Amino acid sequence: SSAGIITAGKDKSITGVTVNLYDRQNKLIGTAVGGLKEVKKGKTYSFRAIALVDDEDTLKIDHYKIKSIELGN
């Protein structure tokens, strides 16, 4: 799994996060998905995401960029 940080722009009960995973050369390796329950506007949250990559590629992950944030209720 991967971990990251986001700051909420709105109060929401469910938030889904999708991130792109990159190696040191900035080559896209794959994506990871995670979620948070109940976020509050202006607060910063740590999150964990499940990497959707082959096992041998997990060691190549160097950094991530948030691809999308899906706001629920």
Side-chain angles (χ1 to χ4, degrees):
S1 67
S2 299
I5 298 172
I6 62 170
T7 300
K10 297 180 180 180
D11 291 351
K12 291 292 177 179
S13 60
I14 300 172
T15 302
V17 181
T18 303
V19 298
N20 284 336
L21 305 169
Y22 297 91
D23 67 10
R24 286 188 181 158
Q25 289 76 39
N26 211 34
K27 178 183 171 193
L28 180 64
I29 294 173
T31 59
V33 294
L36 295 166
K37 292 182 183 178
E38 224 173 313
V39 295
K40 300 292 181 188
K41 182 178 180 178
K43 299 245 182 198
T44 300
Y45 297 89
S46 296
F47 67 91
R48 296 192 67 73
I50 305 273
L52 306 173
V53 298
D54 293 329
D55 287 343
E56 64 269 9
D57 288 335
T58 58
L59 296 175
K60 298 176 187 174
I61 297 170
D62 179 68
H63 62 282
Y64 72 93
K65 295 180 185 173
I66 294 176
K67 179 179 178 180
S68 65
I69 298 173
E70 303 288 331
L71 299 177
N73 301 335

